[in-house]
Amino acid sequence: AQSVTQLDSQVPVFEEAPVELRCNYSSSVSVYLFWYVQYPNQGLQLLLKYLSGSTLVKGINGFEAEFNKSQTSFHLRKPSVHISDTAEYFCAVHTGGFKTIFGAGTRLFVKA
Amino acid sequence: GAGVSQSPRYKVAKRGQDVALRCDPISGHVSLFWYQQALGQGPEFLTYFQNEAQLDKSGLPSDRFFAERPEGSVSTLKIQRTQQEDSAVYLCASSLEIPNQPQHFGDGTRLSIL
């Protein structure tokens, strides 16, 4: 069965500092990987996706993620965060069936 | 353009009442998903429609939960005889097709059972 583990439930960071949100997955088949962001009282919004090809994926708002097949990881990074990046971030895996499996989320808190 | 619309945004019901949650997906989107999101958790898959066909309902927690999409557009999630453990945010998402298309989410319905 597929699963997604987000290793940090909360990540506090100062404004303009770099950040990495970690995601590991388990799957015995090829996967499609996603990162979504959720602001309070809103639905999820796609940040970026990995379907195939280059393992470094660039998304919106300056975020990027790297797919590492050997380590089954898909960590999200941003070189310099803003206050407005404070939100909940979800890693998700889709293996070609009907289900997308989401991690439990990482709360990014950017401090001034 | 219009995104995924869900109504109501908030619903309070007494234990034992029936509730109906509506989802209006993006026009032309074939796939429609329902998720349940408990406080502090990620979305949990409930059910999936491809047009009007419900192809996967394995995530529905009990037979009190029922979903339909009769004309392949608007969908309704119905919960009968609600229980306190049904309190959660219910998210609807749509996509052009699966498996590799990102899903577009609505803002959800926050359901509180008293």
Side-chain angles (χ1 to χ4, degrees):
Chain A
Q2 295 81 35
S3 66
V4 178
T5 301
Q6 292 186 241
L7 296 162
D8 306 293
S9 59
Q10 296 184 68
V11 174
V13 62
F14 284 103
E15 192 175 19
E16 298 183 5
V19 71
E20 178 180 80
L21 307 184
R22 296 179 294 167
C23 172
N24 286 90
Y25 68 93
S26 66
S27 175
S28 58
V29 298
S30 297
V31 296
Y32 304 117
L33 295 160
F34 305 87
W35 275 98
Y36 288 86
V37 61
Q38 186 177 36
Y39 299 101
N41 297 317
Q42 294 184 23
L44 280 68
Q45 177 185 355
L46 180 72
L47 276 178
L48 47 79
K49 61 185 178 184
Y50 171 79
L51 305 180
S52 63
S54 173
T55 57
L56 183 62
V57 179
K58 294 190 181 299
I60 63 170
N61 300 341
F63 284 94
E64 63 181 30
E66 186 159 17
F67 171 57
N68 187 319
K69 187 174 182 180
S70 63
Q71 297 186 8
T72 60
S73 68
F74 191 55
H75 301 333
L76 180 71
R77 302 185 183 100
K78 186 170 182 177
S80 176
V81 294
H82 301 134
I83 296 287
S84 59
D85 292 324
T86 294
E88 191 87 20
Y89 292 80
F90 293 95
C91 180
V93 60
H94 189 112
T95 58
F98 302 128
K99 292 182 181 179
T100 296
I101 307 299
F102 287 84
T106 296
R107 173 79 175 160
L108 175 63
F109 179 61
V110 181
K111 301 178 286 186
Chain B
V4 178
S5 177
Q6 292 188 246
S7 61
R9 286 295 317 275
Y10 304 91
K11 176 70 178 177
V12 179
K14 292 182 179 179
R15 187 162 55 97
Q17 289 183 328
D18 298 348
V19 298
L21 312 180
R22 176 189 169 103
C23 173
D24 203 337
I26 293 172
S27 178
H29 278 195
V30 168
S31 295
L32 186 145
F33 305 80
W34 281 99
Y35 294 89
Q36 182 188 60
Q37 186 176 23
L39 189 64
Q41 297 297 317
E44 294 277 348
F45 172 85
L46 292 177
T47 187
Y48 166 72
F49 289 87
Q50 189 173 92
N51 295 308
E52 69 278 4
Q54 189 176 21
L55 299 185
D56 190 336
K57 55 181 181 179
S58 62
L60 296 177
S62 77
D63 58 7
R64 297 186 295 104
F65 287 71
F66 172 76
E68 60 183 5
R69 194 186 184 196
E71 298 179 358
S73 56
V74 171
S75 177
T76 304
L77 176 67
K78 297 179 180 178
I79 309 173
Q80 298 176 324
R81 304 180 304 281
T82 52
Q83 303 294 316
Q84 282 193 323
E85 60 263 29
D86 300 335
S87 295
V89 175
Y90 290 84
L91 294 168
C92 176
S94 69
S95 68
L96 282 170
E97 58 183 292
I98 60 167
N100 59 7
Q101 296 299 314
Q103 295 172 37
H104 299 262
F105 283 80
D107 288 340
T109 294
R110 183 176 297 276
L111 176 64
S112 299
I113 305 301
L114 304 179

